[in-house]
Amino acid sequence: MKMADSEDEEIEVLRKELCWLLEDQVHPVLEEIRNTLLECCRRFPHRSTQDEHDPAVETTDDTPSYRCLGRVGIDGDNELLNVIYVMINCYILFTGSGTGNVYCVVTLLGDSICDADINFKHKQGKDHHTFKTGINPEVNWKLQQIQDAGNFLYGALSVFANIDKDKKFTSAKQVLMLLDTLMNYLNQGRSCLAFPKRKSVDELVNNRNMTTFKPPVPSDVALSFYIHSSKLILALYNLQVTNQQKIEITSRSQVECTVQWLNEAVMLFTLALQQCSQLKDKITVLQQYEIT
């Protein structure tokens, strides 16, 4: 009988802890998560909204679109026109089948590569020569990964638009559903940057961004800019047509450079996910003791 009483007392204590968590702790933790996301926004290119100071106010779509112009001034810090420039000046880091050196200098403006000088060794017949090309200033190379990650980031912020500071959370399920929505946005946003999708040969060759090069690159070469976590990478693919008229990759080379604001953005995505996960774990453990 005493053991049963002890168990009942323990369950009652756990129920009170859940009530305390819902009433006193959820809002402060959500505010911490929101602040982390706003910090992440400062790293991202500017999104056009009616309220520059808080993207969460105006955003309602699941994955709202935005235009990259510069860095967003969340707290009126006049960063709106503080455009992001990243200079890449590095030599070949990986070579396949003796393709030679690649040299690249790039200007990254928001989610667009608006200027690039690229030199690479190209085999023509038995001889190798240096081929020079660049980005056409009128047709920028768009980095869709950055825009997609930004869309998911603003989607996560939109969740907070409907959370009033006086809102009372009355059940564990209510908070868990909110956290699941947040974590879904954040996982997808981070994945856009951390796990670039592998492109097929057809996608590389027919990429509309290939039209940005002036002069056009040789038909047996494909170039691809992409983001991998904190790095901007330029990959060069040497191609050949088989007897079956299929295009194959014969070698691959790349140059890369760390982009500081991307590194910080990925870290802040990860921090926000950890904050969500910690709160979710606490509530999940106590949910079984909730009075329904």
Side-chain angles (χ1 to χ4, degrees), residues 1-42:
M1 191 70 179
K2 290 183 179 180
M3 184 176 294
D5 291 341
S6 177
E7 289 178 353
D8 289 342
E9 288 178 5
E10 184 176 349
I11 290 173
E12 185 61 28
V13 168
L14 292 170
R15 284 174 177 168
K16 289 181 179 179
E17 184 176 352
L18 176 60
C19 290
W20 169 78
L21 195 63
L22 294 175
E23 292 176 5
D24 297 338
Q25 295 301 301
V26 170
H27 273 295
V29 174
L30 288 179
E31 185 62 19
E32 288 178 5
I33 296 169
R34 180 176 174 277
N35 288 336
T36 300
L37 298 184
L38 290 176
E39 228 10 85
C40 192
C41 280
R42 292 192 181 94

Side-chain angles (χ1 to χ4, degrees), residues 9-11 16 20 34 39 51 53 71 89 118 120-121 142 148 151 158 169 189 229 239 252 265 267 278 287 289 291:
E9 288 178 5
E10 184 176 349
I11 290 173
K16 289 181 179 179
W20 169 78
R34 180 176 174 277
E39 228 10 85
D51 189 341
H53 300 284
R71 289 172 64 185
N89 188 349
I118 303 168
F120 58 87
K121 285 190 176 180
K142 291 289 185 180
D148 289 344
N151 288 341
S158 72
F169 293 101
S229 293
L239 313 171
R252 180 186 184 279
M267 290 176 61
Q278 288 170 0
Q287 186 181 23
Y289 304 109
I291 299 174

Side-chain angles (χ1 to χ4, degrees), residues 270-284:
T270 302
L271 175 59
L273 278 166
Q274 290 173 345
Q275 291 170 323
C276 289
S277 182
Q278 288 170 0
L279 179 59
K280 182 178 179 180
D281 290 345
K282 290 179 183 178
I283 292 178
T284 300

Side-chain angles (χ1 to χ4, degrees), residues 253-272:
S253 307
Q254 75 175 43
V255 287
E256 62 184 47
C257 181
T258 298
V259 181
Q260 184 60 33
W261 75 264
L262 279 173
N263 182 52
E264 293 171 0
V266 172
M267 290 176 61
L268 288 165
F269 266 117
T270 302
L271 175 59

Side-chain angles (χ1 to χ4, degrees), residues 103-116:
Y103 174 81
C104 177
V105 179
V106 167
T107 301
L108 175 62
L109 174 59
D111 66 344
S112 301
I113 296 170
C114 59
D115 185 26

Side-chain angles (χ1 to χ4, degrees), residues 16-251:
K16 289 181 179 179
E17 184 176 352
L18 176 60
C19 290
W20 169 78
L21 195 63
L22 294 175
E23 292 176 5
D24 297 338
Q25 295 301 301
V26 170
H27 273 295
V29 174
L30 288 179
E31 185 62 19
E32 288 178 5
I33 296 169
R34 180 176 174 277
N35 288 336
T36 300
L37 298 184
L38 290 176
E39 228 10 85
C40 192
C41 280
R42 292 192 181 94
R43 271 70 180 177
F44 264 78
H46 170 63
R47 177 182 185 276
S48 297
T49 64
Q50 293 179 357
D51 189 341
E52 301 287 344
H53 300 284
D54 190 350
V57 173
E58 181 266 346
T59 305
T60 56
D61 297 336
D62 286 344
T63 53
S65 62
Y66 69 101
R67 186 183 177 197
C68 295
L69 298 174
R71 289 172 64 185
V72 62
I74 300 295
D75 298 318
D77 49 9
N78 297 320
E79 287 189 315
L80 181 57
L81 298 180
N82 183 10
V83 174
I84 302 165
Y85 287 101
V86 178
M87 298 302 295
I88 296 182
N89 188 349
C90 46
Y91 290 93
I92 192 70
L93 301 179
F94 171 82
T95 308
S97 304
T99 54
N101 289 335
V102 177
Y103 174 81
C104 177
V105 179
V106 167
T107 301
L108 175 62
L109 174 59
D111 66 344
S112 301
I113 296 170
C114 59
D115 185 26
D117 291 319
I118 303 168
N119 300 342
F120 58 87
K121 285 190 176 180
H122 179 247
K123 187 175 181 181
Q124 197 167 32
K126 294 182 179 180
D127 300 324
H128 286 84
H129 72 281
T130 299
F131 188 91
K132 298 182 180 181
T133 187
I135 294 289
N136 184 342
E138 297 178 359
V139 188
N140 298 339
W141 182 296
K142 291 289 185 180
L143 290 165
Q144 188 63 40
Q145 288 171 263
I146 293 178
Q147 192 161 88
D148 289 344
N151 288 341
F152 286 117
L153 173 59
Y154 283 101
L157 276 169
S158 72
V159 174
F160 293 93
N162 298 319
I163 302 176
D164 189 271
K165 290 184 178 180
D166 296 325
K167 179 181 177 66
K168 292 184 179 180
F169 293 101
T170 56
S171 70
K173 182 179 179 181
Q174 185 182 17
V175 179
L176 292 176
M177 288 177 64
L178 186 151
L179 290 173
D180 284 341
T181 301
L182 270 176
M183 294 175 74
N184 182 52
Y185 279 126
L186 295 174
N187 274 314
Q188 292 186 80
R190 186 177 63 172
S191 293
C192 289
L193 301 176
F195 306 108
K197 294 180 181 177
R198 188 182 182 89
K199 289 184 173 67
S200 67
V201 177
D202 286 341
E203 287 173 326
L204 289 170
V205 173
N206 297 315
N207 185 350
R208 63 183 180 181
N209 281 318
M210 287 289 288
T211 62
T212 65
F213 294 115
K214 188 177 182 179
V217 299
S219 59
D220 60 350
V221 170
L223 297 173
S224 180
F225 285 102
Y226 65 93
I227 301 297
H228 187 193
S229 293
S230 62
K231 293 181 178 180
L232 174 62
I233 296 173
L234 168 62
L236 181 149
Y237 301 87
N238 287 290
L239 313 171
Q240 71 174 12
V241 180
T242 67
N243 293 333
Q244 291 76 33
Q245 298 302 304
K246 290 184 178 180
I247 301 176
E248 291 184 347
I249 297 172
T250 59
S251 62

